[in-house]
Amino acid sequence: MRGLRRWWDDTAGGLPATFWYLWSGLLINRAGAFALLFLSLYLTAARGAPPSLAGLVVGAYGIGGAAGTLLGGVLADRWGRRATLLAAHLAAAGLMAALAFSTHLAVIAVLATLVGVAHSMPSPAFVAAIVDVVPEARRSRAFNLQFWAFNLGMAVASLLAGLLAEASFVALFLVDAAATLTAAVVIALKVPETLTRRPALTPRAVAGRRPGLHTALTDRTFLVFVALTFLLAVLTMQTSTIMPLAMRADGLRPSAYGLVVALGGALIVVGQLFVPRLIEPYRKSTVLAVSTGLMALGFGALTVADGLPLYLGAAVVWTIGQMLAAPPNAQINADLAPPELRARYQSVFYLTFPAASFVAPALGGLSLERLGERHWLVVGALGLVAAAGHLLAGPRRERRVAALRAAAAEPVKSAR
C-alpha cells in the first residue's frame, strides 16, 4: 500500500485542483470528439459525396484547425484562458449540432472548416492554463497526465464512434456536441481565470516594441525547437498515413493494422503514468534525443517487416519513444515562452501537427511509391537527425530558460 501511495505521489501528487478540472475537461472533450473520425465515411455513405470531395472537406477541417490554433493562442493571451476555452467549446458544440442536420455539401464544408477552428482553439489555452497553475517542479508530471488523458480519451472515442456510426450518424454528431458542452460546463463551474497580467519580459519589449505573435515567429531558439518537434510529428503521423499502405502492400488485412494501432494505444494508457519517475533524473534534451532515437529505430525497422509480428514489435519500440518524448517536449515548449506570451508560443508550437499531417502523407506517399521499403530508412534517418538536433540545441535552450527565469524573478526581488 505504501508503494502504491508513493507511486501516486510521484505521478500526480501535489497538483492543484484547477489542473484536475482542466484535465477532466480535456478527457471529456477527447472522449467525445469522435464525429470527425467518421467524417469522410459520413460524407460518402450518408450524403453521397465522391471520395475526392470528401477528402477536400476533411482537408478544410485541417485548414480550419491551423487557423484556430493561432487564433486560440492570441485570444488566450488577450481575453484569458477561461474565456477562450468557454468560447471555443460552446462554438464547437453549436457547430457540431448544426453539422448533424446539414444536408447540402457546401454548407457541410463551411461548417467543417469552422469546427476545425473551434476544435483547435482550446489547445494553446489548455496548456497555458496548466503552466499558469502548476509549479515548475510539477509540470513534467502534469504534461505527462495531459498526454495520458488525451490518448485515453481518443481510445474511448474510437470505441464509441464505431458503435454510434452503425446506429445513426446524426446521433454521432449530437453526442459529440453534448460531450463538448459538458466539458464547457466543467470549465465554467470549476476553472477560474488563470491569466495574470505581468510586465512584458521579452527582449523586444525592453527595446520598446510591443510583444505579440511576431515575437514567437522570430524567436530562433524557439523555432529550432519547433522544427525538431515537426520532425517528431512527421514520424508519429506515419502510423496513420503511410503505414496502412505499407501493411497492405505486404499482404496484411485491415484488422492487422487495427491491432498495431490498438497495441500502441494500450501501451500508452497502461505505461504513461510510470514515465515521469523514469525520466526525472535526466536532462530534457537527453530524454528527447533517446526517445526520438527509439522512434527512428522503430520506424526504420519496418524496412525488413513483412509480417504482423515484426510490425507489432516495431510498434512497441516507437510507442515507448512517444511516451518518453511527451512530457519533456511539452515542458520545454512551456519553459521557452515568456509568461505574457505563453499561449501565443503554444499556438505556434501546435502548428507543427497540422503541418505534419499534410507533409507526412503528401511526401510519404510519393516516397513509398518511389522507394518502396527503403522509405522507412528515410523516416529513420529523419528521426536520427532530430535526435542529434536535440543534443546540439539543448545547451542553448537551457541558457535561454535560465535567462527567462532570471527576468521573471527580477520584478519580485524589486517589489520585496
Side-chain angles (χ1 to χ4, degrees):
M1 191 66 180
R2 287 183 178 179
L4 182 61
R5 185 173 181 178
R6 182 181 178 185
W7 167 79
W8 177 252
D9 288 340
D10 288 341
T11 303
L15 294 172
T18 299
F19 165 78
W20 288 111
Y21 290 124
L22 288 165
W23 183 89
S24 300
L26 176 64
L27 180 61
I28 295 169
N29 189 309
R30 289 296 93 195
F34 39 69
L36 273 301
L37 296 175
F38 280 76
L39 180 59
S40 58
L41 180 61
Y42 164 72
L43 291 169
T44 54
R47 298 305 176 199
S52 57
L53 182 57
L56 288 175
V57 174
V58 175
Y61 172 84
I63 293 172
T69 298
L70 291 175
L71 179 62
V74 173
L75 293 181
D77 278 337
R78 289 186 178 179
W79 286 2
R81 323 316 191 193
R82 183 176 182 271
T84 302
L85 289 171
L86 285 175
H89 281 78
L90 293 174
L95 291 166
M96 195 62 68
L99 198 55
F101 298 104
S102 299
T103 58
H104 198 284
L105 289 176
V107 175
I108 292 174
V110 172
L111 289 173
T113 305
L114 295 176
V115 169
V117 174
H119 273 181
S120 297
M121 282 176 61
S123 295
F126 261 124
V127 177
I130 289 173
V131 177
D132 290 341
V133 301
V134 176
E136 185 178 338
R138 301 275 181 178
R139 284 177 191 164
S140 179
R141 301 174 187 181
F143 288 130
N144 188 69
L145 287 165
Q146 178 205 9
F147 181 71
W148 182 73
F150 185 90
N151 283 277
L152 178 60
M154 290 301 295
V156 173
S158 300
L159 178 63
L160 293 178
L163 299 175
L164 284 171
E166 290 183 3
S168 166
F169 280 113
V170 172
L172 188 75
F173 288 105
L174 290 180
V175 174
D176 191 321
T180 305
L181 189 60
T182 303
V185 171
V186 172
I187 294 167
L189 296 178
K190 295 295 185 179
V191 176
E193 179 52 62
T194 64
L195 176 63
T196 55
R197 304 295 177 182
R198 298 179 175 89
L201 301 172
T202 61
R204 290 172 185 253
V206 174
R209 184 177 182 182
R210 184 178 179 182
L213 190 59
H214 64 273
T215 308
L217 293 173
T218 55
D219 185 335
R220 293 183 181 179
T221 302
F222 174 68
L223 291 179
V224 168
F225 173 69
V226 169
L228 294 173
T229 302
F230 170 74
L231 292 180
L232 186 147
V234 168
L235 264 66
T236 302
M237 290 291 176
Q238 299 297 312
T239 58
S240 59
T241 57
I242 305 304
M243 191 181 71
L245 303 178
M247 295 183 72
R248 185 177 64 181
D250 286 332
L252 296 173
R253 297 172 61 86
S255 58
Y257 169 69
L259 186 59
V260 172
V261 174
L263 174 62
L267 285 173
I268 291 173
V269 170
V270 173
Q272 191 66 47
L273 294 179
F274 298 93
V275 169
R277 190 173 180 181
L278 179 64
I279 66 175
E280 192 172 10
Y282 305 101
R283 296 171 65 179
K284 297 180 185 66
S285 57
T286 303
V287 174
L288 282 175
V290 171
S291 61
T292 311
L294 286 172
M295 293 177 66
L297 177 63
F299 285 110
L302 296 185
T303 306
V304 296
D306 55 3
L308 182 57
L310 287 175
Y311 275 97
L312 290 172
V316 171
V317 176
W318 76 58
T319 301
I320 292 174
Q322 289 176 326
M323 291 164 61
L324 295 176
N329 209 54
Q331 187 170 2
I332 290 173
N333 179 38
D335 289 344
L336 287 174
E340 72 278 8
L341 299 177
R342 205 164 264 163
R344 287 177 173 89
Y345 270 65
Q346 293 294 333
S347 67
V348 175
F349 172 79
Y350 273 99
L351 279 178
T352 59
F353 301 103
S357 68
F358 172 77
V359 170
L363 297 184
L366 181 64
S367 174
L368 186 67
E369 182 180 319
R370 298 288 180 87
L371 302 178
E373 293 178 343
R374 288 176 294 173
H375 162 77
W376 299 111
L377 291 178
V378 175
V379 174
L382 286 176
L384 293 178
V385 168
H390 279 299
L391 290 176
L392 293 173
R396 183 173 181 177
R397 286 198 302 253
E398 291 169 2
R399 291 193 297 269
R400 165 68 179 279
V401 171
L404 284 171
R405 288 173 182 163
E410 192 61 34
V412 177
K413 292 181 180 179
S414 299
R416 288 176 178 174

